[in-house]
Amino acid sequence: MLWLQYIIDSIGTGALYSLMTLGLALVFSVMGLMNFAYGQLVMIGGFSMILLRSQPWWVLILGTILAVVVVSLLMERLAFRPVRMATAMTMLITSFALAQFLQQSARVAFGANPRPLEQFSGLSEQIEFAGLRISRLSMLTVVVTIVVLISLAVLLRRTTIGMKLRASTEDVTMAALVGIKSNRVIASAFVISGVIAAIVAMLFFSSRTNVSWSSGESIVLIAFVGAVIGGLGSMVGAALGGFLMGFVYTMLNALLPTDLRVFADAFLYTIVIIVLLVRPAGLVAAKGVRV
Amino acid sequence: MSLLEISGLRIAYGQAVAVKDLNMRVEQGEFVSLIGHNGVGKSSTVKAITGLVKPSAGSISYDGASIGGKDPGDILRLGIAQVPEGRRIFTRLTVRENLIVGATVRSSRAETAASVEEMNQRFPVLGKYANRMAGLLSGGEQQQLAIARALMAKPKLLVLDEPSLGLAPQIVDQVFSLLKELREGGTTILLVEQNAAQAIRACDRYYVMRTQGAIAVEAPGGDQADVTKIEAEYLHFGKV
């Protein structure tokens, strides 16, 4: 029974990490950019929650999504579009610079100390079922992740913009030759990535008591590693890779002997290294990825 | 006035000059072949026409308006579609989706659906495998898809870069008879080929290109053309 409890706890974290990874992987697969400023979008979402905390819940949700999407679009327009034709290294360094800029701006605006975020009382409640405890937040996270995954699949598979996104992902020159406007396609990828980052922010910070200017750092690292082990360029791989990161990490924290628990990260990344040794292209290898 | 008129075209990649001073034209309704060895500047010429590279000098005019240096999407909107070298179909899109994406420059959904139907009639194999990933098609089927995708934009001028490359001889014959059919239907065709014999016989007029886009021969094509002489003089290896 204890095992089942661990698994349930781990699924919640896995779902959250899976979302984080998707937002990062989507932009990568469309324009070959590993956007290390992505974690800062989640951080901005957190501060938006603090600012909107006293508003009705739907204002908080829509306002946070709007704020993050606007920043995501500005990122694309002001920082990444000018260097789109440059090398992958230039784009990568641009994203590091942007991440620093956003972090330091948040530090100036909100202070160096973490800002408290009042908890949402309803979400932290635990539901007991057949001897198992499940927090409402964990259930919500799983449900939201499933909804986002399905929506993203429908968007990519069933809509014209999804078709254009996939075409651009595979062959950007050919996409231009059939008249697909790459600016529009890339901007829409940043919009989707922004929506996902905002959702991640709301789920992530609902289980925290504060938001800090440095909150985004660990998030982008998890998303990056999740995308790499899942297989760069593959959405299914990203969802799977992110899920496994969260799942394994939480399981390690539960199962490792108390003395070793502080080394959970080391164990996790050892597993990551082993996965990459066995499958260097990731669990779900995508064809024709530009790196 | 010719439909496509290229004069004094120069294409350079940094220091490397691919095409030095090219003059050629394609008349409305004509089937023109551009033949020559690998690396003489044929593909660069195609890329300049469809907007993938910007000319460093000279002019390309289409239907009386200058198109040199315009975006590929805008050039396609004006009516020039390209079937690129190596086909470059979207392998992870279905056959049907490849066709739909080909109609990006046209707005109406109903029109696009009608054109997909039309392509399925013309190329039965595309209708048969409509929901299959395009990467699973054979080489010949992929070439049909690449041509059909270009036709989805309803081009007035179709530019094909080495469509016979890597295909079995019977399939190559099919591609050529399709091109002749399209020309009968009123589409203007510019065909870039290394396969000189068939390209010369199928066309109305042809150019032989030598290094840096220099035109060595301009002559009428068709069954009467002396293919053997052209091949012996200009296209045999070691004689370039």
Side-chain angles (χ1 to χ4, degrees):
Chain A
M1 218 48 181
L2 199 56
W3 268 89
L4 210 53
Q5 181 65 51
Y6 291 154
I7 288 174
I8 286 171
D9 293 342
S10 305
I11 286 175
T13 318
L16 182 65
Y17 285 19
S18 175
L19 276 185
M20 283 179 193
T21 308
L22 270 179
L24 184 72
L26 182 73
V27 166
F28 177 82
S29 70
V30 172
M31 64 179 292
L33 161 72
M34 196 45 86
N35 181 11
F36 276 92
Y38 171 73
Q40 309 315 323
L41 290 175
V42 179
M43 176 270 288
I44 288 165
F47 281 114
S48 153
M49 287 166 76
I50 288 180
L51 296 176
L52 297 171
R53 184 65 185 86
S54 55
Q55 303 295 319
W57 62 271
W58 59 272
V59 175
L60 186 144
I61 291 176
L62 292 180
T64 300
I65 291 177
L66 187 69
V68 177
V69 166
V70 167
V71 176
S72 184
L73 270 176
L74 286 174
M75 264 185 188
E76 190 274 323
R77 189 69 191 79
L78 301 177
F80 294 124
R81 195 175 291 187
V83 295
R84 191 181 305 154
M85 293 303 154
T87 60
M89 188 56 79
T90 308
M91 291 203 286
L92 194 66
I93 290 168
T94 305
S95 85
F96 282 128
L98 188 59
Q100 280 301 317
F101 171 76
L102 291 172
Q103 271 195 348
Q104 299 310 324
S105 304
R107 191 179 186 171
V108 170
F110 299 101
N113 295 322
R115 292 274 293 258
L117 177 65
E118 193 194 325
Q119 289 300 288
F120 302 87
S121 52
L123 288 177
S124 47
E125 263 174 47
Q126 305 253 336
I127 295 169
E128 297 230 13
F129 179 77
L132 297 168
R133 286 167 295 104
I134 309 169
S135 79
R136 282 199 175 166
L137 178 63
S138 178
M139 275 167 59
L140 183 70
T141 305
V142 173
V143 170
V144 168
T145 303
I146 292 171
V147 170
V148 171
L149 282 176
I150 293 173
S151 314
L152 194 60
V154 168
L155 184 87
L156 289 174
R157 296 284 148 200
R158 295 270 177 272
T159 67
T160 315
I161 184 75
M163 220 183 277
K164 290 176 185 172
L165 266 169
R166 282 184 291 136
S168 309
T169 307
E170 186 176 333
D171 186 343
V172 73
T173 308
M174 193 58 227
L177 270 180
V178 297
I180 293 173
K181 291 193 165 67
S182 57
N183 281 347
R184 210 175 283 177
V185 167
I186 289 171
S188 61
F190 273 85
V191 169
I192 301 168
S193 171
V195 171
I196 294 176
I199 294 173
V200 166
M202 290 186 273
L203 294 170
F204 180 77
F205 289 113
S206 291
S207 66
R208 300 288 186 281
T209 50
N210 59 54
V211 181
S212 149
W213 58 276
S214 61
S215 293
E217 268 174 5
S218 56
I219 290 169
V220 77
L221 184 65
I222 292 165
F224 173 62
V225 178
V228 170
I229 61 168
L232 287 173
S234 159
M235 287 296 119
V236 178
L240 181 68
F243 180 83
L244 288 176
M245 284 288 288
F247 187 85
V248 172
Y249 184 67
T250 313
M251 284 302 257
L252 283 171
N253 267 307
L255 297 178
L256 284 174
T258 327
D259 306 351
L260 289 179
R261 214 160 275 176
V262 286
F263 299 114
D265 277 338
F267 279 94
L268 178 67
Y269 286 100
T270 307
I271 296 172
V272 167
I273 291 169
I274 293 169
V275 168
L276 290 179
L277 283 174
V278 179
R279 289 189 70 93
L283 296 168
V284 183
K287 280 183 292 180
V289 176
R290 305 169 301 137
V291 182
Chain B
M1 185 182 64
S2 310
L3 184 64
L4 181 75
E5 193 147 2
I6 297 174
S7 58
L9 180 67
R10 180 186 171 88
I11 305 165
Y13 306 96
Q15 294 292 311
V17 177
V19 172
K20 214 174 185 172
D21 176 24
L22 174 66
N23 297 289
M24 64 179 283
R25 71 200 153 79
V26 179
E27 303 294 337
Q28 173 83 47
E30 202 181 18
F31 182 161
V32 172
S33 290
L34 176 61
I35 56 184
H37 275 306
N38 233 341
V40 296
K42 302 191 305 295
S43 284
S44 293
T45 305
V46 169
K47 285 179 186 159
I49 294 170
T50 53
L52 286 181
V53 300
K54 307 221 177 303
S56 14
S59 76
I60 305 173
S61 76
Y62 168 79
D63 220 359
S66 167
I67 56 165
K70 271 195 198 292
D71 283 336
D74 293 334
I75 291 173
L76 180 61
R77 250 165 232 114
L78 289 171
I80 305 180
Q82 180 183 347
V83 179
E85 188 179 350
R87 306 184 265 280
R88 291 174 86 158
I89 55 156
F90 299 111
T91 57
R92 281 180 280 153
L93 266 59
T94 66
V95 171
R96 190 185 168 76
E97 286 171 340
N98 267 276
L99 293 177
I100 295 174
V101 162
T104 298
V105 295
R106 296 166 67 205
S107 48
S108 135
R109 221 166 246 265
E111 235 183 290
T112 302
S115 294
V116 170
E117 246 344 281
E118 203 184 310
M119 291 306 147
N120 290 345
Q121 298 286 321
R122 191 193 274 277
F123 308 95
V125 71
L126 301 185
K128 189 170 152 202
Y129 297 136
N131 295 316
R132 197 175 272 200
M133 285 296 149
L136 298 174
L137 298 182
S138 71
E141 289 160 355
Q142 291 193 7
Q143 186 62 68
Q144 292 183 45
L145 178 57
I147 295 173
R149 179 180 60 188
L151 293 176
M152 286 295 291
K154 291 242 170 287
K156 280 179 251 170
L157 170 61
L158 187 63
V159 183
L160 302 101
D161 195 355
E162 307 271 8
S164 73
L165 206 67
L167 296 182
Q170 325 71 296
I171 311 288
V172 173
D173 290 344
Q174 277 178 27
V175 169
F176 275 99
S177 54
L178 169 66
L179 294 182
K180 281 190 255 184
E181 229 175 85
L182 289 172
R183 180 207 176 286
E184 298 304 318
T187 309
T188 307
I189 292 173
L190 174 59
L191 170 67
V192 169
E193 263 294 344
Q194 285 191 65
N195 182 348
Q198 269 172 304
I200 290 175
R201 286 200 192 96
C203 71
D204 300 313
R205 197 160 52 82
Y206 67 92
Y207 293 94
V208 177
M209 189 178 262
R210 302 187 80 182
T211 39
Q212 294 191 321
I215 296 295
V217 178
E218 183 198 342
D223 291 328
Q224 272 72 48
D226 195 348
V227 174
T228 350
K229 180 166 166 275
I230 291 293
E231 280 189 323
E233 276 183 40
Y234 298 101
L235 297 167
H236 276 170
F237 289 99
K239 279 198 158 186
V240 183

